[in-house]
């Protein structure tokens, strides 16, 4: 029998459930529920009731699995919305049918607990665990233990929901990496009781079923050895944590009192586990969910060093996981559930002497009485002892007697008195420096970040870059700075605090000296960022920095690649500069800084940071009556909107900028406004308007001989011609643009044009030429493109590989690109990748499997109103529906695709839909 699939209730039921799952992944839960409701209306009891045989039994089992998927999908949505009571009647009969299904029992227990039926939930969990042990012979899995433990500890039901996603906007899990960034261990002395206590505590619950994270907190005074102990434990237990050892500084001792935000710490944790920063979500809640999802089945040791507060640490704990955490802090951390504190005191006298002797190593001239005297004057504080030993090591001709005499002369007996002990040890080293070294040491204390290079120090101290580099080398010898990586320095937080105290006393630096030093530091980062941005993004229309600012030494940036690497390396300092200017700088300084950094902020995915600051910049230039600067700030804001697929807002602010540029008579600015305006117009299918704008732009760009802008305008004009089926004109535009970008050495421009040329070849039916162009674009992008652009190129290559019959390679590329596009928030490209994946499955003869991908793509594309892509998705959806026998739906979607194509003046797409309709109706295509 040949029957329309939509008349077979079983096929409708299965298809609608699969589509609902895809819609949940893409974030359209409302549409998913509608499909589940339609599917439920098809259910009339056991399929093929009364019919025996293996085929009937197999069919009933398959349909039963689909019914279970439908119920789990529905309750996933209900539980996420807090509708626990509504989920219970859906799950309860299924739990009776599947008594050994742990995932089902886990979800029902959460629903019962959330419905104030906690006793029933507990009995269900106990009964399920007993049945699993009795019938399978294994203990129940981690999920049941986690929920049971949470219920017993009074955790609200919402807190027991799995954090592994279901929202298509979340990035996929990273490839499994085993990170180990623990600092180097040192030859260990003392702390036997603490080591034994921590080792025993961290080895508890290391079985495969451990679900409650172990958290140990080490607190104590500065310099007492908290970090050293945590690091030593990490190395000692290395084999107990096979999935990684992570060390993260939380900056609780930062000189300005601002600890590292949890969102930035989570970003670094996820990056260390293999996820690129471009793949990460923006909000703290999403980062927390992703971190707990990634960590939930890993046995890792995480050291959170130098925490500022319980509030800072709480979002960083990995939840239900065999991962263990050690937190160090200068203060106790009340309010963290289940934390067992270990408070460190100074070393006993014997251990203090052993520490000093061990640091010296094999050396002549070491006297036991002198050693006892030195460590006594150091107050038995480990940091002071290490600094004293380093002083001796730096003077090969000295003996311990010489050092002891030196310490007594400096009155270090005050080291016994808590915090002052460290100050006196630092003062001894400080007074041994030259005046220039002292100046640099004091000014480093004013640096707002944790790492710095010689140019930041040069700005703070008012030196040349070479002079600052030389002094840093001298301070490195004195162990007053640490070189974390080549030419990148940091300073121990206690040393930094001491350096700042020297500034605050005002003995050698006035308050105005300090203010001027910090201003120069901010100017340095803004100027260096501006230079880097001009190399990395040479096409931008610039706001010139304040000509009154001093010209400060900066890094040598030879090309676009070097500039991009500098921006990435200085990421933390640049973000801190923005934060500082937002709080302490003038609106003018902030406006200039965010303009210089907007390309970097977009590339690195910091759009949440960028948008409010760009709005402030627009308001500032408006108040300053600087129409040209305001127009450029509007262009920056438009770029951020377009990146987020907020096309209507992008068009609005770009139009406003264009009007200002024309009023000013600034042709170069007008050209950039036209280019920026064209992007959302193109994304929303307004091709004729894009063509008109760029034809006008090319006319006046010819007059001012701006080759780069001419190349960009031709590239964009070629895109408009391509979509308007003006293939020859498009090819001419792309060829001219490629020549100009090649002569300019503009790699970004080259791979953009190559990508568009490949798209044109696809439209013309030359798939081999398209493949060659895409692969050349990918090779160029590898040198400098950001991850989002690289993912887009791989996605585009996949589309042509599918056409060439290389379907499995195409699917692999889609699978690789899709999580990146989701993570950076590029919803348009995400929809294209979803649709392409469906098309590839159809090419492989898996039309039923393809259908949910197209449905998910259509859901995403309609939410962002990208009408051009909507016509494409509808066309591909219709072909898939035709392949599965859904003829009526296919005709309806083809008619919708044709109508959209006609409305946006896309003749090739309109003709494509018309031919498919004619073929389906058994007619010849209209002439």
């Amino acid at each position: 029998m040949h029957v329309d699939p939509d008349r077979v209730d079983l096929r409708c039921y299965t298809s609608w459930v699969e589509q609902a799952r895809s819609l949940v992944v893409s974030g359209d839960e409302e549409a998913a529920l509608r499909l589940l409701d339609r599917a439920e209306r098809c259910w009339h009891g056991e399929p093929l009731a009364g019919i025996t045989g293996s085929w009937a039994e197999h069919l009933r089992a398959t349909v039963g699995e689909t019914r279970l998927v439908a119920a789990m999908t529905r309750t996933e949505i209900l539980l996420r919305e807090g509708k626990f009571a509504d989920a219970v009647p859906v799950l309860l009969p299924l739990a009776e049918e599947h008594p050994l299904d742990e995932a089902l029992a886990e979800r029902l227990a959460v629903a019962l607990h959330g419905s104030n039926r906690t006793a029933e939930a507990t009995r269900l969990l106990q009964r399920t665990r007993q049945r699993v042990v009795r019938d399978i012979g294994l203990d129940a899995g981690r999920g049941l233990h986690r929920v049971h433990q949470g219920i017993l500890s009074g955790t609200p039901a919402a807190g027991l929901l799995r954090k592994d996603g279901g929202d298509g906007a979340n990035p996929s899990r990273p490839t499994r990496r085993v990170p180990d960034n623990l600092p180097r261990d040192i030859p260990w002395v003392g702390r036997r009781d603490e080591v034994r206590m921590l080792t025993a505590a961290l080895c508890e619950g290391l079985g495969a079923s451990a679900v409650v994270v172990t958290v140990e907190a080490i607190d104590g005074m500065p310099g007492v050895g908290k970090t050293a102990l945590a690091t030593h434990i990490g190395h000692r237990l290395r084999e107990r944590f096979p999935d990684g050892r992570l060390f993260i500084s939380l900056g609780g001792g930062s000189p300005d009192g601002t600890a590292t935000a949890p969102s930035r710490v989570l970003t670094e944790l996820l990056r260390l586990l293999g996820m690129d920063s471009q793949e990460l979500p923006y909000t703290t809640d999403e980062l927390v969910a992703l971190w707990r999802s990634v960590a939930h089945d890993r046995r890792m040791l995480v050291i959170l060093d130098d925490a500022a507060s319980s509030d800072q640490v709480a979002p960083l704990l990995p939840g239900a996981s065999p991962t263990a955490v050690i937190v160090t802090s200068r203060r106790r951390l009340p309010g963290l559930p289940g934390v067992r504190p270990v408070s460190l005191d100074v070393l006993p006298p014997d251990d203090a002497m052993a520490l000093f002797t061990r640091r010296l190593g094999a050396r002549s001239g070491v006297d036991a009485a002198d050693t006892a005297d030195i460590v006594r004057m150091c107050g038995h504080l480990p940091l002071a002892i290490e600094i004293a030993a380093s002083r001796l090591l730096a003077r090969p001709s000295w003996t311990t007697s010489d050092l002891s005499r030196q310490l007594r002369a400096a009155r270090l007996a005050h080291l016994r008195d808590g915090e002052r002990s460290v100050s006196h040890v630092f003062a001894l080293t400080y007074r041994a420096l030259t005046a220039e070294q002292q100046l640099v040491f004091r000014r480093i204390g004013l640096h707002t970040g944790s790492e710095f290079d010689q140019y930041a120090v040069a700005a703070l101290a008012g030196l040349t870059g070479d002079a600052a580099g030389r002094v840093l080398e001298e301070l490195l010898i004195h162990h007053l700075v640490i070189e974390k990586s080549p030419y990148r320095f940091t300073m121990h937080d206690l040393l930094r605090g001491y350096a700042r105290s020297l500034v605050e006393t005002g003995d050698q630096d006035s308050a105005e000296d300090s203010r001027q030093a910090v201003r120069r530091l901010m100017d340095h980062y803004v100027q260096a960022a501006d230079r880097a941005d001009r190399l990395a993004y040479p096409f931008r229309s610039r706001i010139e920095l304040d000509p009154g600012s001093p010209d400060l030494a900066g890094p040598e940036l030879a090309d676009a690649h070097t500039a991009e690497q500098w921006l990435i390396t200085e990421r933390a300092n640049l973000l801190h500069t923005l934060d500082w200017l937002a709080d302490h700088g003038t609106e003018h300084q902030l406006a200039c800084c965010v303009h210089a950094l907007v390309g970097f902020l977009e590339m690195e995915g910091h759009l949440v940071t960028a948008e409010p600051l760009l709005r402030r910049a627009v308001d500032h230039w408006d108040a300053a009556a600087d129409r040209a600067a305001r127009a450029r700030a509007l262009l920056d804001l438009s770029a951020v909107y377009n990146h987020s697929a907020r096309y209507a807002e992008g068009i609005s602010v770009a139009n406003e900028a264009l009007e200002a540029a024309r009023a000013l008579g600034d042709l170069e600015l007008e050209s950039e406004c036209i280019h920026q305006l064209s992007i959302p117009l193109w994304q929303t299918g307004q091709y004729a308007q894009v063509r008109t704008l760029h034809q006008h732009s090319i006319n006046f760009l010819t007059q001012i001989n701006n080759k780069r802008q001419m190349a960009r305008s031709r590239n964009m004009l070629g895109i408009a011609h391509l979509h308007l089926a003006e293939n020859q004109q498009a090819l001419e535009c792309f060829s001219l643009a490629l020549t100009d970008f090649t002569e300019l050495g503009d790699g970004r421009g080259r791979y953009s044009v190559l990508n568009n040329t490949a798209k044109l070849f696809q439209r013309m039916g030359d798939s081999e030429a398209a493949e060659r162009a895409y692969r050349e674009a990918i090779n160029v992008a590898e040198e400098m493109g950001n991850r989002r652009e690289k993912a887009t190129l791989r996605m585009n290559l996949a589309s042509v590989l599918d056409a060439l019959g290389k379907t499995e390679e195409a699917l692999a590329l889609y699978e690789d690109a899709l999580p990146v596009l989701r993570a950076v928030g590029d919803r348009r490209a995400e929809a294209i990748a979803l649709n392409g994946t469906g098309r590839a499955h159809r090419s492989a003869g898996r039309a039923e499997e393809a259908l949910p991908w197209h449905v998910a793509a259509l859901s995403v594309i309609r939410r962002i109103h990208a009408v051009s892509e909507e016509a494409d998705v509808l066309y591909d959806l219709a072909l898939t529906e035709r392949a599965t026998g859904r003829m009526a739906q296919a005709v309806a979607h083809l008619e919708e695709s044709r109508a959209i194509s006609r409305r946006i003046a896309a003749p090739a797409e309109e003709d494509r839909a018309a031919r498919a309709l004619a073929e389906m109706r058994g007619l010849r295509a209209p002439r």
Side-chain angles (χ1 to χ4, degrees):
M1 294 175 65
H2 297 283
V3 182
D4 188 324
D6 287 339
R7 299 186 64 187
V8 180
D9 58 355
L10 175 59
R11 293 190 66 179
C12 290
Y13 179 86
T14 303
S15 177
W16 288 335
V17 170
E18 290 173 354
Q19 291 178 46
R21 278 305 306 164
S22 298
L23 288 170
V24 169
V25 172
S26 69
D28 195 347
E29 294 181 347
E30 184 178 344
L33 282 174
R34 288 197 299 269
L35 279 174
L36 290 172
D37 289 339
R38 292 173 66 186
E40 187 63 24
R41 288 194 291 271
C42 287
W43 186 265
H44 300 294
E46 180 184 352
L48 305 179
I51 299 178
T52 59
S54 59
W55 174 80
E57 290 296 331
H58 173 73
L59 180 64
R60 278 192 286 269
T62 301
V63 177
E65 287 296 323
T66 305
R67 187 183 179 210
L68 188 59
V69 169
M72 296 294 272
T73 302
R74 182 184 295 277
T75 55
E76 177 183 341
I77 298 169
L78 293 173
L79 294 179
R80 201 150 46 214
E81 294 177 349
K83 299 177 179 177
F84 299 100
D86 293 342
V88 170
V90 179
L91 294 169
L92 203 53
L94 291 172
E96 294 171 359
E97 295 175 21
H98 305 276
L100 297 178
D101 191 322
E102 294 181 45
L104 182 58
E106 175 188 337
R107 183 166 292 183
L108 176 56
V110 173
L112 288 168
H113 179 48
S115 306
N116 297 319
R117 298 163 66 176
T118 301
E120 290 181 55
T122 304
R123 286 196 298 271
L124 169 69
L125 292 170
Q126 291 171 340
R127 187 166 61 248
T128 304
R129 291 173 65 181
Q130 291 167 359
R131 286 175 173 172
V132 169
V133 172
R134 184 189 64 204
D135 295 348
I136 301 178
L138 297 174
D139 191 13
R142 187 177 296 121
L144 285 183
H145 285 279
R146 177 186 65 85
V147 172
H148 199 180
Q149 209 52 36
I151 291 174
L152 293 177
S153 63
T155 304
L160 298 177
L161 296 176
R162 287 185 176 272
K163 305 296 184 183
D164 49 73
D167 182 350
N170 285 340
S172 67
R173 291 176 51 149
T175 55
R176 204 164 184 98
R177 176 187 294 182
V178 180
D180 190 345
N181 70 330
L182 290 184
R184 180 179 62 88
D185 199 9
I186 57 176
W188 193 249
V189 172
R191 305 288 191 203
R192 287 171 288 278
D193 291 341
E194 291 90 346
V195 169
R196 186 164 50 248
M197 184 190 312
L198 287 166
T199 300
L202 291 167
C203 290
E204 289 176 4
L206 283 183
S209 62
V211 295
V212 180
V213 67
T214 301
V215 183
E216 302 295 323
I218 304 173
D219 58 67
M221 64 181 290
V224 80
K226 303 180 291 296
T227 302
L229 176 59
T231 302
H232 177 67
I233 293 296
H235 285 281
R236 188 183 183 99
L237 300 180
R238 179 183 300 274
E239 299 306 319
R240 298 285 190 132
F241 296 95
D243 293 327
R245 282 71 52 190
L246 302 175
F247 182 97
I248 298 288
S249 174
L250 303 187
S254 61
D256 58 359
T258 56
T260 307
S263 59
R264 293 188 186 173
V265 178
L266 289 164
T267 298
E268 181 65 13
L269 283 168
L270 291 165
R271 190 187 66 78
L272 287 170
L273 286 171
M275 184 173 288
D276 189 273
S277 59
Q278 293 263 340
E279 296 181 326
L280 301 178
Y282 302 126
T283 69
T284 301
D285 288 344
E286 290 175 318
L287 287 166
V288 169
L290 180 58
W291 159 237
R292 291 177 178 172
S293 172
V294 169
H296 87 279
D297 62 347
R298 298 184 190 227
R299 189 184 298 167
M300 301 181 292
L301 178 65
V302 179
I303 298 177
L304 303 174
D305 187 54
D306 200 13
S309 66
S310 299
D311 290 341
Q312 183 192 26
V313 173
L316 309 178
L317 300 182
S321 168
T323 289
V325 178
I326 300 177
V327 183
T328 74
S329 178
R330 300 172 183 227
R331 63 193 75 178
R332 295 182 188 274
L333 298 174
L336 288 177
V339 173
R340 291 169 288 194
V342 177
S343 296
L344 297 188
D345 200 353
V346 296
L347 292 170
D350 290 346
D351 285 344
M353 290 178 62
L355 174 62
F356 183 82
T357 303
R358 181 73 64 87
R359 293 293 185 272
L360 290 180
R363 180 189 176 99
S364 60
V366 176
D367 179 80
D370 288 334
T371 298
D373 196 36
I374 290 168
V375 298
R376 178 185 58 80
M377 287 188 286
C378 289
H380 303 154
L381 191 67
L383 178 61
I385 295 168
E386 290 177 7
I387 292 177
S390 297
R391 292 268 306 153
L392 187 58
L393 288 170
R395 301 292 182 93
S397 61
W398 282 19
T399 63
T400 51
S401 178
D402 296 320
L403 177 60
S404 180
R405 285 194 299 271
Q406 181 72 14
L407 293 177
R408 282 193 296 272
R411 302 179 183 176
L412 287 181
H414 294 291
L415 282 172
R416 301 183 192 129
D417 187 14
E419 287 284 333
R420 289 189 301 163
S421 61
V422 179
S423 297
H424 280 278
V425 171
F426 291 161
L428 177 64
T429 305
Y430 174 75
R431 285 196 293 272
L433 302 177
T434 66
E436 188 177 48
Q437 291 168 349
Q438 289 178 348
L439 172 65
V440 170
F441 179 78
R442 292 195 308 273
R443 295 294 170 79
I444 288 173
L446 296 173
H447 194 276
T448 54
S450 60
E451 286 189 28
F452 48 86
D453 62 8
Q454 67 190 70
Y455 301 106
V457 171
L460 284 166
L463 300 174
T464 65
D466 289 342
R470 173 178 49 79
V471 178
L472 280 170
E473 291 291 337
E474 294 163 358
L475 294 180
L476 185 64
I477 293 171
H478 287 280
H479 299 284
L480 295 176
V481 296
I482 302 165
E483 192 172 21
K484 294 189 68 173
S485 58
Y487 311 111
R488 300 286 299 174
F489 300 89
T490 187
M491 179 182 278
H492 190 283
D493 55 359
L494 296 176
L495 285 167
R496 190 190 292 265
Y498 174 69
R500 175 163 286 205
S501 74
L502 294 173
V503 174
E504 291 170 348
T505 59
D507 291 342
Q508 299 183 57
D509 300 280
S510 68
E512 182 58 26
D513 290 336
S514 299
R515 283 193 291 270
Q516 290 293 338
V518 174
R519 287 194 194 104
R520 285 196 304 271
L521 179 66
M522 298 300 135
D523 285 341
H524 155 68
Y525 281 123
V526 173
Q527 289 180 16
D530 184 65
R531 289 194 294 270
D533 184 75
R534 289 171 185 272
L535 282 170
Y537 308 100
F539 47 81
R540 291 183 59 212
S541 184
R542 305 285 168 176
I543 297 173
E544 295 301 325
L545 299 184
D546 188 349
S549 299
D551 188 14
L552 300 169
E556 294 184 7
L557 304 174
D559 51 32
H561 178 69
T562 307
E564 281 190 346
Q565 289 304 306
W566 183 87
L567 289 166
I568 292 169
T569 300
E570 293 287 358
R571 176 194 297 114
N573 286 327
L574 295 174
L575 291 172
H576 209 298
T577 298
L578 269 179
D579 292 343
W580 190 93
L581 289 174
D583 294 335
H584 306 291
T586 67
E587 289 298 305
H588 181 81
Q589 290 173 314
L590 177 63
C592 289
C593 184
V594 72
H595 173 72
L597 288 175
V598 73
F600 153 76
L601 293 171
E602 183 182 359
M603 176 183 73
E604 288 293 297
H606 297 290
L607 300 184
V608 173
T609 298
E611 184 181 341
L613 298 182
L614 285 168
R615 289 183 177 279
R616 283 176 63 174
V618 171
D619 292 341
H620 164 71
W621 298 121
D622 192 27
D626 190 333
R627 293 184 297 165
R630 182 176 182 275
R632 290 175 171 87
L634 286 169
L635 287 181
D636 295 339
L637 188 57
S638 177
V640 169
Y641 285 145
N642 294 336
H643 182 100
S644 305
R646 294 160 63 182
Y647 300 128
E649 293 164 283
I651 290 170
S652 176
V653 294
N655 265 320
E656 193 176 349
L658 180 58
E659 291 172 8
R662 285 173 174 168
L664 290 165
D666 187 331
L667 295 180
E668 288 188 350
L669 177 58
E670 180 180 349
S671 171
E672 183 58 27
C673 291
I674 287 173
H675 185 87
Q676 193 62 51
L677 174 60
S678 298
I679 294 172
L681 290 174
W682 160 50
Q683 306 280 25
T684 54
Q686 301 176 60
Y687 309 126
Q689 190 173 349
V690 174
R691 179 179 60 186
T692 301
L693 282 169
H694 280 280
Q695 286 172 340
H696 170 69
S697 181
I698 288 173
N699 286 336
F700 64 73
L701 284 172
T702 304
Q703 301 171 24
I704 62 176
N705 194 29
N706 187 323
K707 180 177 284 190
R708 190 184 305 277
Q709 289 297 90
M710 179 80 77
R712 296 177 74 223
S713 192
R714 282 174 171 154
N715 186 33
M716 203 71 207
L717 178 58
I719 292 172
H721 283 311
L722 183 153
H723 285 283
L724 292 168
E726 298 164 351
N727 294 342
Q728 189 56 43
Q729 295 95 317
L731 186 58
E732 291 173 3
C733 286
F734 292 147
S735 297
L736 290 170
L738 184 60
T739 299
D740 286 344
F741 280 132
T742 302
E743 290 177 3
L744 291 165
D746 189 329
R748 181 171 277 106
R750 283 189 63 214
Y751 69 69
S752 175
V753 175
L754 286 166
N755 174 74
N756 296 332
T757 304
K759 184 72 68 176
L760 175 62
F761 286 144
Q762 278 184 276
R763 293 290 185 95
M764 297 169 67
D766 192 344
S767 298
E768 289 81 2
E771 180 185 4
R772 289 193 298 271
Y774 278 135
R775 293 195 185 278
E776 185 178 355
I778 289 171
N779 289 337
V780 176
E782 283 302 318
E783 296 297 319
M784 61 178 300
N786 62 52
R787 186 160 177 77
R788 174 196 179 198
E789 292 167 337
K790 292 175 183 176
T792 301
L793 288 171
R794 289 196 298 273
M795 174 185 74
N796 292 343
L797 174 60
S799 67
V800 75
L801 291 177
D802 182 29
L804 288 168
K806 304 174 183 179
T807 304
E808 295 309 315
E809 185 180 355
L811 283 169
L813 287 172
Y814 282 129
E815 184 179 2
D816 185 36
L818 187 56
V820 179
L821 299 170
R822 281 175 170 158
V824 301
D826 193 337
R827 302 309 302 274
R828 172 183 171 273
E830 177 194 344
I832 294 172
L834 288 168
N835 193 53
T837 303
R839 192 167 52 242
H841 279 301
R842 187 178 73 240
S843 299
R846 300 188 292 265
E848 286 286 353
E849 190 173 343
L851 198 59
W853 292 94
H854 295 307
V855 171
L858 188 60
S859 174
V860 173
I861 217 68
R862 282 178 167 164
R863 269 180 276 163
I864 63 174
H865 308 294
V867 292
S868 174
E869 280 70 32
E870 185 177 359
D872 289 338
V873 174
L874 286 166
Y875 175 79
D876 284 312
L877 175 59
L879 296 190
T880 299
E881 288 167 337
R882 181 180 68 179
T884 60
R886 295 168 170 84
M887 303 302 288
Q889 291 183 24
V891 169
H893 285 140
L894 281 172
E895 289 175 340
E896 195 175 354
S897 176
R898 182 175 62 175
I900 291 173
S901 300
R902 180 181 299 128
R903 188 173 74 246
I904 65 175
E909 287 77 6
E910 181 183 356
D911 185 56
R912 173 187 66 185
R915 287 198 308 272
L917 277 167
E919 181 181 342
M920 290 177 66
R921 291 167 173 163
L923 302 174
R924 294 177 56 189
R927 296 184 181 276

